[in-house]
C-alpha cells in the first residue's frame, strides 16, 4: 500500500525592513552589544512599524510568496493554519484575515497558540489533513509581531524578540518524502511564573490598572526558560532521531527554533550534529517566536536537496516543545 505523507512543496517569508540593532538597544536600556551577542547570538532584529499592519499582514505576504513560487492560485488552498501568539485581535482568528488578504476563497482555517513551538504544532496538525485524504493543499504559517508585546524598557526581553513570518505549503506525497514523524509535548505546570503575558485574556481583561502595571507585555524568567529549553529541545530531538534510527551523520540539517544560540548548540551537541549542519539566522532576526523555523527553511532553501533528512526542534511558552523528522521534497528554490 502506498504511504501518503505531507510534503513541504514551497516556502515563503516576510520580514519588515526596519532593523533594531544592538547599538539601538544600548541607547534604550542598560545593555551592550558584547553581552547580547555572547549570551544570545543576536545582533539585530526586524520591527514592523507601519501603522495599520500587524501579524496577518506579514503572514499574508509570506503566504503569497509561497504560493507564487509554487505557481498556484490562492483559490486552490484548502486550509490556512496560522501559528501565533500575537494575533491582530483576540478574535477573529488571524487565519481569517489572511484568508481575506490573499483571496483564498475556498479555504477555511484557524489559529494555533503554542508560542515558540507554534509552527511545529501547526505543521503536525496540517499534515493530518493531508494524510487523512481530507485536503490537498494546506498553508502552514508561523507569524509574530513580538514588538507589539515587548516592553522596550525591560532588558530581559527586549533584546531577544523580533517580528517576521514564514509560510510553507503542504501537499500529498507518495514518493517517500515529507513529514515522516513528530513528537510534541505540553507541560502547563509552573508556566505562569516563567513565560507569559498576564493581562488581556479573560482572567485579567484590560483595565487602566493592567496597562499601568505593564501586564500586557511578555514576562520571562529567562534562567528557568533557558534550563527547560536546553533539556526539552535536546531530549525531544534525540527521541525523534532514535525512534527513526537516525544518527548525527544521517541528519543533513538541524532546523532549531532560534531562541538563543547557546540552546541551539546544546541541542546540536546532544544530537551529534556539527554546527555546520545547523540552520541559523538568529543573528539577523532574533527570536521571531512562531516564525523562526519557517524563516530558516526559506533562508536555506537554495542549498536543500531532495531526500535531505531535516530535524526540526522547538521549545516555547506553555511550556510546549517538540521535534519533527522531515525528508525534504525538492532541490533548491521553487520557482
Ligand atoms: N544586558 C546586560 N546585562 C544583562 C542583561 C542585558 N540585556 N540581562 C541580564 N543581564 C545581567 C543580569 O543582571 C546578570 O547580572 P549579575 O550577574 O550582575 O546579576 C547577568 O547579566 C546574567 O543574567 P542572567 O539572567 O543570568 O543571564 P543569562 O545568561 O541567563 O541570559 C537570557 C539571559 C534571557 C538571554 C537567557 O536566560 C535566555 O536566553 N533564556 C531563554 C530565553 C528564551 O529562549 N525565551 C524564549 C522562549 S523559547
Amino acid at each position: 500500500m502506498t504511504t501518503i505523507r505531507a510534503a513541504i512543496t514551497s516556502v515563503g517569508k516576510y520580514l519588515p525592513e526596519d532593523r533594531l540593532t544592538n547599538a539601538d538597544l544600548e541607547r534604550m536600556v542598560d545593555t551592550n552589544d558584547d553581552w547580547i551577542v555572547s549570551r544570545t547570538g543576536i545582533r539585530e532584529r526586524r520591527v514592523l512599524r507601519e501603522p495599520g499592519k500587524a501579524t496577518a499582514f506579514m503572514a499574508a505576504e509570506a503566504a503569497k510568496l509561497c504560493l507564487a513560487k509554487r505557481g498556484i492560485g490562492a483559490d486552490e488552498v484548502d486550509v490556512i493554519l496560522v501559528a501565533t501568539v500575537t494575533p491582530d485581535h483576540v478574535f477573529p482568528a488571524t487565519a481569517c484575515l489572511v484568508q481575506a488578504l490573499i483571496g483564498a476563497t475556498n479555504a477555511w482555517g484557524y489559529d494555533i497558540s503554542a508560542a515558540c513551538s507554534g509552527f511545529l504544532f501547526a505543521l503536525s496538525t496540517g499534515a493530518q489533513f493531508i494524510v487523512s485524504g481530507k485536503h490537498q493543499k494546506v498553508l502552514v504559517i508561523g507569524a509574530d509581531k513580538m514588538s507589539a508585546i515587548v516592553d522596550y524598557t525591560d532588558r530581559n526581553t527586549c533584546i531577544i524578540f523580533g517580528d517576521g513570518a514564514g509560510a510553507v505549503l503542504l501537499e500529498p506525497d507518495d514518493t517517500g518524502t515529507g513529514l515522516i514523524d513528530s513528537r510534541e509535548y505540553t507541560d502547563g505546570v509552573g508556566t505562569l511564573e516563567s513565560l507569559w503575558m498576564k493581562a488581556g485574556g479573560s482572567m485579567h481583561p484590560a483595565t487602566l490598572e493592567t496597562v499601568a502595571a505593564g501586564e500586557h507585555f511578555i514576562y520571562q524568567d529567562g534562567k528557568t526558560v533557558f534550563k527547560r529549553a536546553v533539556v526539552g529541545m535536546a531530549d525531544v530531538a534525540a527521541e525523534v532521531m532514535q525512534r527513526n534510527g537516525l544518527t548525527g551523520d544521517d541528519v543533513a540539517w538541524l532546523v532549531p527554533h532560534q531562541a538563543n544560540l547557546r540552546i541551539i548548540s546544546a541541542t546540536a551537541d546532544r544530537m551529534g550534529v556539527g554546527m555546520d549542519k545547523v540552520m541559523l539566522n538568529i543573528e539577523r532576526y532574533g527570536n521571531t517566536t512562531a516564525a523562526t523555523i519557517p524563516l530558516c527553511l526559506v533562508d536555506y532553501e537554495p542549498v536543500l536537496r531532495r531526500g535531505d533528512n531535516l530535524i526540526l526542534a522547538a521549545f516555547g511558552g506553555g511550556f510546549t516543545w517538540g521535534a519533527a523528522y522531515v525528508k525534504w521534497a525538492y532541490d533548491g528554490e521553487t520557482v
Side-chain angles (χ1 to χ4, degrees):
M1 212 183 81
T2 323
T3 305
I4 300 290
R5 294 201 173 92
I8 296 175
T9 56
S10 186
V11 296
K13 71 174 178 181
Y14 178 82
L15 288 157
E17 280 181 12
D18 274 356
R19 291 174 157 81
L20 182 67
T21 65
N22 290 351
D24 296 328
L25 288 166
E26 283 178 7
R27 290 189 285 273
M28 297 159 69
V29 290
D30 178 15
T31 191
N32 58 79
D33 179 57
D34 278 353
W35 193 94
I36 300 174
V37 173
S38 64
R39 307 307 289 168
T40 70
I42 303 169
R43 290 183 192 276
E44 61 179 39
R45 321 109 195 97
R46 300 299 182 90
V47 178
L48 181 62
R49 296 191 209 271
E50 289 167 74
K53 290 185 177 166
T55 299
F57 164 76
M58 296 192 292
E61 292 300 306
K64 282 191 233 169
L65 181 60
C66 176
L67 296 177
K69 286 167 72 182
R70 179 78 178 128
I72 67 167
D75 57 344
E76 292 180 59
V77 174
D78 300 310
V79 186
I80 300 168
L81 300 179
V82 179
T84 187
V85 287
T86 51
D88 287 28
H89 310 282
V90 172
F91 74 92
T94 309
C96 301
L97 306 178
V98 173
Q99 181 275 333
L101 284 168
I102 67 174
T105 44
N106 295 305
W108 64 290
Y110 54 95
D111 290 1
I112 290 182
S113 175
C116 298
S117 309
F119 177 79
L120 264 190
F121 283 20
L123 182 71
S124 166
T125 307
Q128 304 310 311
F129 291 120
I130 302 280
V131 170
S132 68
K134 184 169 168 65
H135 290 304
Q136 306 294 304
K137 289 184 172 51
V138 178
L139 263 178
V140 178
I141 306 171
D144 271 299
K145 184 184 170 185
M146 297 307 288
S147 61
I149 57 167
V150 163
D151 176 357
Y152 285 100
T153 65
D154 173 15
R155 70 176 184 173
N156 288 311
T157 51
C158 73
I159 57 155
I160 294 174
F161 296 100
D163 301 342
V168 306
L169 181 68
L170 297 181
E171 295 182 82
D173 178 284
D174 63 1
T175 67
T177 62
L179 177 65
I180 310 267
D181 190 20
S182 67
R183 180 75 167 101
E184 301 78 13
Y185 289 94
T186 294
D187 177 7
V189 176
T191 189
L192 296 187
E193 287 81 48
S194 308
L195 187 53
W196 66 323
M197 193 168 104
K198 186 169 182 182
S202 59
M203 179 65 86
H204 303 288
T207 61
L208 290 176
E209 289 74 25
T210 61
V211 173
E215 292 174 353
H216 297 268
F217 293 126
I218 304 171
Y219 169 80
Q220 169 175 273
D221 167 7
K223 264 195 192 344
T224 303
V225 176
F226 186 89
K227 284 184 202 150
R228 290 288 304 256
V230 164
V231 176
M233 232 164 92
D235 275 358
V236 73
E239 181 185 346
V240 167
M241 284 173 68
Q242 198 198 354
R243 68 187 202 180
N244 289 283
L246 298 172
T247 68
D249 290 343
D250 302 317
V251 174
W253 294 99
L254 164 62
V255 194
H257 169 54
Q258 311 279 304
N260 184 312
L261 191 54
R262 292 181 293 147
I263 299 173
I264 295 171
S265 41
T267 304
D269 252 16
R270 174 76 181 283
M271 294 168 61
V273 167
M275 287 303 281
D276 57 325
K277 295 203 290 184
V278 179
M279 292 193 188
L280 289 174
N281 55 25
I282 188 170
E283 193 181 2
R284 288 173 290 143
Y285 311 147
N287 181 349
T288 52
T289 303
T292 61
I293 289 180
L295 283 174
C296 278
L297 292 176
V298 184
D299 287 354
Y300 283 80
E301 185 192 29
V303 299
L304 287 172
R305 291 291 164 266
R306 179 176 163 82
D308 277 353
N309 290 324
L310 273 50
I311 298 289
L312 285 48
F315 184 94
F319 292 114
T320 55
W321 65 106
Y325 168 24
V326 171
K327 206 175 253 299
W328 196 248
Y330 58 93
D331 288 335
E333 283 179 274
T334 49
V335 265

